[in-house]
Amino acid sequence: MRRHLQAYHALVTEAVAQLGSVPARAELAGQARELLERGLARILGSEPDHHLDAMTDGRGLFEHAKGVVPRRQHGYCVDDNARLLVVASRQPIDLRVARLSQVALQLMLAALAPDGRSRNRMNVAGSWTDQPATADWWGRNVWGLGVAAALHPDDGIRTAARAGFDLAAGQRSSSRRAMAFAALGAAE
């Protein structure tokens, strides 16, 4: 929190100094917006990556946290790992994106049953705690796999995601929400 406050203070100080020297009010809004966007990028740019690193181990992204500390006792869920893979698939590839993508994809593929239905919850020991189904998490799994198959910058991840997508997309759900998420994956 202290780092955020320091960054915010620096942003406000910079904005006041620069905006105080602007001769025309017409430029004020544009410059303020630009400073704010740069400042927010500075504040938010590293924290989410750091938090994702802290929230992810070799099995997947933990489902819950207390502040910035993962609540390991709650384990993992496909929903959150699918969201992680969707975001990672839209980023330029680097070591962090590759690691986060691989971990999320591994959990999502392991969640798929041979018939394409998906499990959702895995405990910290690596055991699934639910049965395969075509509920919301199945739709998010299809979504994440579809986005990764179409957009991920790594060929290997795209290929594995495509295989998982093809398997899961053979199922249908009675849940409109699940089908909507699946359709997002198919649309990519």
Side-chain angles (χ1 to χ4, degrees), residues 26-118:
E27 297 176 31
L28 185 63
Q31 288 187 8
R33 183 174 55 248
E34 181 183 331
L35 286 171
L36 180 60
E37 288 171 0
R38 275 198 342 244
L40 288 175
R42 206 178 312 146
I43 292 168
L44 299 175
S46 61
E47 189 63 26
D49 290 340
H50 172 72
H51 186 63
L52 285 175
D53 287 339
M55 289 294 296
T56 307
D57 69 2
R59 281 209 174 89
L61 175 67
F62 286 102
E63 183 176 14
H64 296 125
K66 185 171 186 176
V68 296
V69 178
R71 298 184 75 186
R72 297 176 187 278
Q73 67 272 22
H74 294 277
Y76 317 87
C77 71
V78 165
D79 294 309
D80 292 341
N81 282 273
R83 291 179 190 105
L84 172 57
L85 188 58
V86 166
V87 170
S89 294
R90 299 175 191 275
Q91 304 302 312
I93 195 74
D94 63 19
L95 290 176
R96 175 179 284 137
V97 169
R99 184 185 77 77
L100 292 172
S101 299
Q102 190 61 45
V103 167
L105 178 63
Q106 171 185 300
L107 186 134
M108 292 166 62
L109 292 174
L112 292 176
D115 66 359
R117 293 176 300 145
S118 180

Side-chain angles (χ1 to χ4, degrees), residues 98-171:
R99 184 185 77 77
L100 292 172
S101 299
Q102 190 61 45
V103 167
L105 178 63
Q106 171 185 300
L107 186 134
M108 292 166 62
L109 292 174
L112 292 176
D115 66 359
R117 293 176 300 145
S118 180
R119 296 177 184 270
N120 187 32
R121 300 195 180 284
M122 177 188 278
N123 65 26
V124 73
S127 299
W128 293 103
T129 61
D130 60 354
Q131 295 301 312
T134 56
D136 284 0
W137 58 86
W138 166 83
R140 287 192 191 90
N141 202 343
V142 176
W143 173 43
L145 293 170
V147 170
L151 302 177
H152 202 283
D154 181 273
D155 290 338
I157 289 175
R158 275 197 320 273
T159 300
R162 177 61 190 257
F165 174 85
D166 288 345
L167 174 63
Q171 287 287 335

